[in-house]
Amino acid sequence: MGLLEGKKLLVTGVLTEGSIAFHVARLAQEQGADVVLSSFGRQFRLTEVIARRLPAPAPVIQLDVTSAEDLEALAGRVAEHTDHLDGVVHSIAFAPQSIMGGNFLAGEWKDVATAIEVSAFSLKSLAMAAKPMLTVGSSIVGLTFDGRFAWPVYDWMGVTKAALEATSRYLARDLGPAGIRVNLVSAGPIRTTAAKSIPGVSQLEQGWPERAPLGWDVNDPVPTAKTVAALLSDWFPATTGEMVHVDGGVHAMGA
């Protein structure tokens, strides 16, 4: 019996085989879950293609987390494939390049606002849109890059991650009475499509494997995906509002 046997999950953010979300979906299926994917716009077709590389077929539904229409329709679209959800994976982030890569002081509000809406407020939007389908004991898991620190080149995306982390704690507070857990996984640098779009991203990666007590492979999303899968399972029944680090231990080192 798999860790996620019988679970019904919604996974956002599957774009390539290098996506953390792809490996979450793959592992979830291997552990017995039924998975529904979401995508939108020009990415939709890409997600459909990549979905065929999963162990089992996975339907793809339309969801733009900045669209009120899509959010309102989410429960109905999910209901076409399952009668409930046991978990939701938030793997959504975007910031214009103009507010990263050393451009913190030059950042303009319209670009910052876009980053915060897509990367942080969307966790609340997605949670509320999925809530009618979520069961008691269900789990929402989001992905972050530790927002407690000022990282090189990350700039306003770092601010949005701090906002995401705060949002997860307030959601944990307000959704807890409904039996819904909300947690985040803070991964070390992984060479996903999103990471490669950050100007100067190599500065984030530089020295990470050497600083990590356990070592770190920037090309391996599987350890992060395994942690997400574990948090989606029933093995963390009293854990919510938490941020679990999967970074080889760098977060705990002083230098």
Side-chain angles (χ1 to χ4, degrees):
M1 183 172 177
L3 187 68
L4 296 171
E5 194 70 34
K7 298 291 188 185
K8 314 292 184 181
L9 306 176
L10 173 64
V11 180
T12 67
V14 173
L15 184 58
T16 72
E17 282 189 270
S19 303
I20 297 171
F22 173 84
H23 291 279
V24 171
R26 176 182 63 80
L27 288 167
Q29 287 185 340
E30 291 174 355
Q31 292 298 315
D34 293 327
V35 174
V36 177
L37 307 179
S38 75
S39 193
F40 75 102
R42 290 180 295 178
Q43 301 175 6
F44 195 94
R45 178 60 181 156
L46 291 173
T47 302
E48 286 186 318
V49 170
I50 294 300
R52 296 175 192 148
R53 300 177 188 177
L54 290 169
V60 184
I61 62 171
Q62 164 71 24
L63 175 63
D64 176 351
V65 291
T66 68
S67 165
E69 180 182 349
D70 278 2
L71 291 165
E72 185 176 346
L74 178 64
R77 290 169 180 168
V78 171
E80 294 176 10
H81 305 285
T82 180
D83 61 356
H84 73 278
L85 286 173
D86 300 292
V88 175
V89 177
H90 179 280
S91 182
I92 301 168
F94 171 77
Q97 290 194 342
S98 62
I99 58 172
M100 297 184 291
N103 292 319
F104 182 81
L105 295 179
E108 296 185 358
W109 170 243
K110 62 181 178 63
D111 292 334
V112 172
T114 296
I116 291 175
E117 180 182 14
V118 176
S119 307
F121 187 77
S122 63
L123 180 62
K124 179 264 185 186
S125 300
L126 178 60
M128 295 310 295
K131 188 172 181 289
M133 300 291 290
L134 289 168
T135 58
V136 173
S138 58
S139 175
I140 298 172
V141 184
L143 290 160
T144 189
F145 186 76
D146 204 331
R148 299 175 302 165
F149 305 104
W151 299 104
V153 307
Y154 212 44
D155 298 335
W156 284 100
M157 180 55 91
V159 175
T160 69
K161 291 302 187 183
L164 173 70
E165 291 159 18
T167 300
S168 73
R169 291 189 289 270
Y170 280 96
L171 281 172
R173 181 194 69 182
D174 289 353
L175 295 181
I180 300 170
R181 294 171 284 133
V182 184
N183 294 289
L184 296 180
V185 173
S186 177
I190 298 172
R191 289 177 185 165
T192 62
T193 299
K196 292 173 184 176
S197 70
I198 301 170
V201 69
S202 61
Q203 293 182 52
L204 278 177
E205 301 172 351
Q206 191 172 12
W208 202 286
E210 292 74 28
R211 297 199 310 275
L214 293 176
W216 184 253
D217 184 351
V218 297
N219 295 303
D220 187 5
V222 173
T224 302
K226 285 183 174 180
T227 305
V228 174
L231 286 168
L232 289 167
S233 78
D234 293 331
W235 283 89
F236 288 86
T239 299
T240 195
E242 186 61 87
M243 181 168 74
V244 180
H245 289 86
V246 183
D247 62 359
V250 169
H251 72 281
M253 300 298 104

